[in-house]
Amino acid sequence: MNDLASAGVPGRPLWDAPAVRAALRAAAPALAAFAAVRLLGLVALAVWSTANGKDWHTLLSARWDALWYTRVAEQGYGYAVQLPNGDVHSNLAFFPLLPWLERGLSALSPLSPADAGMVVAWLTSLAAAWALYATGERLHGPRAGTILAALWAALPVGIVQSMAYSESLFTALAAWGVYAVLTGRWVWAGALASLAGLTRPVGAAVVAAVLLTAAVTLWRQRAGGVRLRAALRAHPGMLPGVLLAPLGWCGFFLWVGARQGSFTGYLEVQGDWGNGFDGGTAFGAFIWHQLSGPTFAAGLALLVGVALVAWLYVHGVRQGQPLPLAVYGATVLLLALTAKGYFGSKPRLMLPAYPLLLPLAAGLARARPVRAWLVIGLLAAGSAAYGAFWLNGSGPP
């Protein structure tokens, strides 16, 4: 199951009602574990916020980026704020799928756009957990799938999964999109990649997973003497899927460019926010500043964290992680670690990089159940405490 060839074997339609019901029953323990971890985080946040004189609901639905998404849902694009230093922050920096869903859900229900965003996050975080279970189960068995979903919930910044942010929506689309590639459902893979590309800039990672996997699959078949037309016939839907995949990301990028009167208009909007990509120069300088000053311990911890992330990725690849997961994970990490801007947001930017957790899930699945769930319980408790502390403090911009 772990080789690339399995990714090109045509599978059943992704939406086969009896198969979906059976898959949901199989995933029920994983979804329950995920929900339990997230519920612990919400309870900790509610208790901490009450003691701190803050409203946990507001922290989840109406702070930081959630306000920008809500404004897009309510007013559309075109809003900008000019800071005292002259910088302009435009809401064109925010991709449209979450605001569209907020607007639609609030129009069909009594929910405000902000509450609709939180509902979308809660529901899509469950969808993401299901996709993670399906991925882990396919590669390492049901226990690994359940543990993978629980580990994702127990990440230190896991509380973001419950906020009116786009990370949960994106991870659900990305994880199911990559799973569709793994199972040879190319049209679904392309459609989900396109939707992921309308959700966050890192949607490019899902597009890369679809395109590179298709290219390598065809190249291997060509190297084996198979004609291109025959190779495409052997992988139904591959060509439409490949054509669909970049439409969302490219469409929004080009639309912002046309609106700004510049092909690189989206990059310029991000630049006005102080964001962009510099190959990791700014992040490296930030780490060096921490190491060379009174915050040496924090800098060292940050360096160890980056090294651990790199080790997890390399370890997963060495274990035979399938190409779509390896490409997707590498692209998410590359975009997160080479971006400049507010460095406190990097753990949140890496939240969708679930393939990093596969080696840990596989290892814990081989351990005794009591030991595995004790580890997950400790991680969940730490995540709950950190999430409550974080949102009552600086929080995720």
Side-chain angles (χ1 to χ4, degrees):
M1 290 287 190
N2 290 8
D3 58 16
L4 179 61
S6 67
V9 177
R12 292 178 298 181
L14 192 63
W15 191 260
D16 178 351
V20 169
R21 287 195 293 269
L24 184 56
R25 285 193 297 270
L31 298 181
F34 174 85
V37 175
R38 291 297 348 115
L39 180 61
L40 177 63
L42 292 174
V43 169
L45 175 64
V47 171
W48 198 304
S49 300
T50 300
N52 206 30
K54 295 184 178 181
D55 179 17
W56 66 271
H57 176 268
T58 300
L59 292 176
L60 292 176
S61 64
R63 293 286 303 276
W64 304 293
D65 288 2
L67 291 172
W68 287 88
Y69 284 119
T70 299
R71 188 171 284 114
V72 174
E74 293 175 337
Q75 304 173 11
Y77 286 103
Y79 177 83
V81 173
Q82 185 165 9
L83 303 183
N85 65 358
D87 290 344
V88 176
H89 288 182
S90 167
N91 64 0
L92 288 168
F94 295 87
F95 277 55
L97 187 56
L98 177 58
W100 287 347
L101 293 175
E102 289 178 338
R103 182 185 302 172
L105 185 56
S106 64
L108 297 173
S109 72
L111 295 171
S112 68
D115 286 340
M118 193 165 67
V119 169
V120 168
W122 289 16
L123 293 177
T124 56
S125 67
L126 283 169
W130 187 2
L132 266 60
Y133 167 79
T135 302
E137 187 275 336
R138 181 178 178 83
L139 298 179
H140 302 292
R143 281 194 65 200
T146 300
I147 290 171
L148 179 62
L151 285 175
W152 188 64
L155 288 172
V157 293
I159 191 65
V160 175
Q161 298 161 10
S162 303
M163 297 179 67
Y165 271 43
S166 59
E167 274 77 6
S168 291
L169 173 62
F170 173 77
T171 306
L173 294 168
W176 279 116
V178 172
Y179 183 77
V181 178
L182 286 172
T183 54
R185 297 167 170 99
W186 289 101
V187 175
W188 275 103
L192 290 165
S194 188
L195 290 173
L198 285 171
T199 307
R200 294 187 61 79
V202 74
V206 195
V207 177
V210 174
L211 299 187
L212 284 179
T213 303
V216 171
T217 301
L218 293 177
W219 177 79
R220 288 184 175 178
Q221 296 222 325
R222 287 282 293 152
V226 179
R227 292 179 178 272
L228 179 60
R229 185 173 297 179
L232 287 171
R233 283 199 300 268
H235 302 283
M238 178 184 282
L239 184 57
V242 165
L243 295 175
L244 276 173
L247 292 184
W249 192 95
C250 291
F252 185 68
F253 185 93
L254 293 174
W255 179 79
V256 174
R259 188 180 176 108
Q260 295 294 97
S262 168
F263 177 75
T264 58
Y266 182 77
L267 299 179
E268 292 162 10
V269 168
Q270 285 283 12
D272 289 338
W273 276 81
N275 297 326
F277 301 96
D278 61 2
T281 302
F283 188 41
F286 176 76
I287 295 176
W288 176 250
H289 176 73
Q290 301 295 310
L291 291 171
S292 59
T295 54
F296 174 80
L300 184 61
L302 183 58
L303 195 61
V304 170
V306 172
L308 176 61
V309 165
W311 179 83
L312 285 172
Y313 176 77
V314 172
H315 190 59
V317 171
R318 286 181 173 175
Q319 281 188 337
Q321 199 168 95
L323 183 62
L325 285 162
V327 170
Y328 168 77
T331 309
V332 173
L333 290 182
L334 180 67
L335 294 176
L337 296 178
T338 62
K340 56 184 179 180
Y342 178 66
F343 300 110
S345 65
K346 288 197 180 292
R348 177 173 66 85
L349 296 179
M350 289 190 286
L351 187 66
Y354 66 90
L356 296 178
L357 301 174
L358 273 167
L360 298 178
L364 286 174
R366 293 191 295 269
R368 294 180 179 179
V370 172
R371 182 176 299 176
W373 288 107
L374 177 60
V375 170
I376 293 171
L378 291 173
L379 291 174
S383 173
Y386 180 73
F389 166 77
W390 195 36
L391 288 199
N392 278 275
S394 61

